Amino acid sequence: MIGELAAIQRDQAEANRQFLGALQAQVGRQAQALEQLVARSGPVQPPPGLTAMESLTLHRMTEEDDAQAFLEAFEATAEACAWPAVEWAMRLLPLLTGEAQTAAMGLPPAALRDYPMIQKAVVDWLGLLPEDHRRRFRGARLGPEDRPFAYGQRLRDAAARWLLPNGVGTASEILEKVVLEQFVERLPVYIAPQ
């Protein structure tokens, strides 16, 4: 009986080796066929009219996000993806949350299709006007837990948003803002605007 079991086991092992050989040969043939198909078809192209940049998905704004930085990142993405400007508002609205969403939804329905109107409403609602950034710049202090680089970046951002609110400005415009601030700050109390 043991001899019969050993013979059966040898026969089974031989059958397994033959089956494994056949599988390996089949895998080899399939790999060759696949290589030939890829060689004939050339590089894979995205579907017509749809590129990776056009199908990019943006994440919703969170409570921790700086609203102005979020809007700037959205604009940079929209420009990089070459989205038509008329689509910006419709792409932005679903991404807004909290106060930014409240500001946008307070606009008349026709204005909800106008990105500059939405941007202005959010900036105004959240107090992100150049004067607010001037106060943040002047009031910024390096705290004990702050990293110097992060503090420097906050200063730079506040200064740029104060002095270059639209991302552009001439040296004379910047000079005027700094001189005006110094002038107003140094006026006697009985003359200074309240």
Side-chain angles (χ1 to χ4, degrees), residues 14-29:
E14 182 57 34
N16 286 343
R17 276 192 288 278
Q18 289 175 357
F19 183 70
L20 180 60
L23 279 177
Q24 288 173 334
Q26 184 179 4
V27 167
R29 287 190 302 273

Side-chain angles (χ1 to χ4, degrees), residues 14-169:
E14 182 57 34
N16 286 343
R17 276 192 288 278
Q18 289 175 357
F19 183 70
L20 180 60
L23 279 177
Q24 288 173 334
Q26 184 179 4
V27 167
R29 287 190 302 273
Q30 287 177 343
Q32 285 177 337
L34 185 58
E35 287 172 3
Q36 290 171 353
L37 281 173
V38 169
R40 273 190 268 158
S41 67
V44 177
Q45 299 294 326
L50 184 63
T51 66
M53 294 300 274
E54 290 171 331
S55 63
L56 181 70
T57 302
L58 299 176
H59 295 282
R60 287 178 60 96
M61 178 185 227
T62 66
E63 288 184 26
E64 293 81 32
D65 285 330
D66 173 348
Q68 193 147 8
F70 184 86
L71 291 172
E72 290 167 1
F74 175 84
E75 290 170 16
T77 302
E79 288 172 0
C81 292
W83 293 338
V86 296
E87 293 180 8
W88 289 19
M90 290 298 111
R91 290 180 182 254
L92 174 67
L93 285 173
L95 304 176
L96 297 177
T97 60
E99 293 294 310
Q101 185 180 49
T102 301
M105 292 298 115
L107 291 171
L112 293 176
R113 291 186 295 271
D114 185 358
Y115 177 79
M117 292 286 290
I118 295 170
Q119 179 196 33
K120 183 176 181 341
V122 170
V123 166
D124 289 351
W125 183 277
L126 297 176
L128 303 174
L129 302 172
E131 177 60 19
D132 299 306
H133 291 297
R134 182 195 70 80
R135 288 188 188 122
R136 288 187 186 116
F137 175 77
R138 294 297 182 193
R141 301 287 180 261
L142 179 63
E145 301 296 317
D146 286 339
R147 295 183 326 260
F149 180 79
Y151 171 68
Q153 188 63 44
R154 279 198 321 270
L155 281 176
R156 186 193 172 294
D157 290 346
R161 290 173 181 163
W162 163 40
L163 297 169
L164 305 167
N166 299 321
V168 293

Side-chain angles (χ1 to χ4, degrees), residues 167-190:
V168 293
T170 65
S172 63
E173 291 171 340
I174 294 170
L175 179 66
E176 280 296 315
K177 290 178 182 179
V178 173
V179 169
L180 178 62
E181 181 211 32
Q182 186 69 10
F183 178 78
V184 171
E185 290 290 323
R186 300 297 181 240
L187 283 175
V189 176
Y190 63 90

